[in-house]
């Protein structure tokens, strides 16, 4: 089993993901430069957080044209597992692998803090180590995390159980106060219709072990690792 972590110019959480996979979960993992055109040797592709191309245009709008993204789209369309965190989530939406878009936070400010997430669907490649309605404590760090989609798309996401996690109160209640960026319906993470591509704004890579004040992010990584080993 082999993970690939893509590096775009401006990525700054690539080493966080690499460390979590290699240092915490003892997986085979390699970096993938954004100019690579073949990712077929990997089992799971991760798009890390950061500021690809400096976010000078719109987050992810330039990165989606990197040569590696054509390979990632082909990989995903063949059923490969793709996971995007923060900027990675934004890039997956820009590339059309996930529906909707990420916009400026409602406050127009960069937000960096721990948030609570309610697991909406534990029956996925990415959350099978979680329980239904389990509350996770995972940090965010972004300026453009407001998830937006039109009414039809939101309806499809809900009907197909594609909303994976929502921002919530510590007791699991969904409220405006618990929403750190104004995301529609408190959406923090979604997957595609086929269930092999997921994006989330919170950083499980920054909560993968107890020394980071929360190891709830480990449940996301363990879900992916366990699912992939089972399928091998």
């Amino acid at each position: 089993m082999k993970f690939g972590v893509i590096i775009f110019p401006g990525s700054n959480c690539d080493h966080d993901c690499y460390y979590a996979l290699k240092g915490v979960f003892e997986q085979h993992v390699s970096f993938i430069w954004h100019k690579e055109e073949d990712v077929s040797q990997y089992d799971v592709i991760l798009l890390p957080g950061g500021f690809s191309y400096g976010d000078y245009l719109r987050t992810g709008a330039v990165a989606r044209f990197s040569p590696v993204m054509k390979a990632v789209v082909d990989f995903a369309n063949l059923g490969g597992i793709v996971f995007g965190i923060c900027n990675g989530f934004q890039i997956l939406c820009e590339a059309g692998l996930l529906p909707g878009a990420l916009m400026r936070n409602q406050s127009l400010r960069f937000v960096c803090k721990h948030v609570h997430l309610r697991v909406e669907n534990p029956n996925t490649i990415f959350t099978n180590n979680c329980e239904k309605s389990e509350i996770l404590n995972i940090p965010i760090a972004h300026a453009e995390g407001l998830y937006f989609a039109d009414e039809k798309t939101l309806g499809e996401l809900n009907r197909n159980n594609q909303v994976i996690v929502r921002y919530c109160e510590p007791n699991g209640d969904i409220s405006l106060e618990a929403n750190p960026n104004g995301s529609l319906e408190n959406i923090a993470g979604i997957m595609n219709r086929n269930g092999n591509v997921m994006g989330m704004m919170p950083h499980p890579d920054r909560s993968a072990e107890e020394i980071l004040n929360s190891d709830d992010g480990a449940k996301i990584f363990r879900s992916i690792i366990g699912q992939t080993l089972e399928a091998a």
Side-chain angles (χ1 to χ4, degrees), residues 158-215:
N158 286 311
R159 279 194 301 276
N160 299 323
N161 293 317
Q162 291 174 247
V163 177
I164 307 304
V165 285
R166 296 184 199 271
Y167 300 109
C168 71
E169 302 284 354
N171 65 0
D173 288 347
I174 302 298
S175 69
L176 289 176
E177 291 74 19
N179 189 337
N181 49 39
S183 285
L184 297 186
E185 299 186 4
N186 284 43
I187 291 174
I190 60 171
M191 67 178 183
N192 66 343
R193 183 71 181 271
N194 291 331
N196 63 309
V197 179
M198 178 182 174
M200 63 188 293
M201 289 310 297
H203 280 262
D205 47 318
R206 294 182 181 177
S207 55
E209 52 186 341
E210 286 189 13
I211 196 172
L212 299 173
N213 293 322
S214 169
D215 61 352

Side-chain angles (χ1 to χ4, degrees), residues 32-33 36 54 86 98 186 190 193 214 229-230:
I32 305 172
W33 185 231
E36 294 292 332
C86 196
L98 290 173
N186 284 43
I190 60 171
R193 183 71 181 271
S214 169
L229 287 175
E230 187 176 310

Side-chain angles (χ1 to χ4, degrees), residues 93-107:
C93 288
E94 291 287 342
L97 285 175
L98 290 173
L102 281 307
M103 301 172 59
R104 290 290 300 274
N105 295 344
Q106 203 166 41
S107 64

Side-chain angles (χ1 to χ4, degrees), residues 123-141:
N123 302 312
T124 78
I125 292 171
F126 310 95
T127 52
N128 57 73
N129 263 235
C130 303
E131 302 290 335
K132 173 71 174 175
S133 300
E134 182 174 352
I135 311 304
L136 305 179
N137 180 4
I138 295 181
I140 57 170

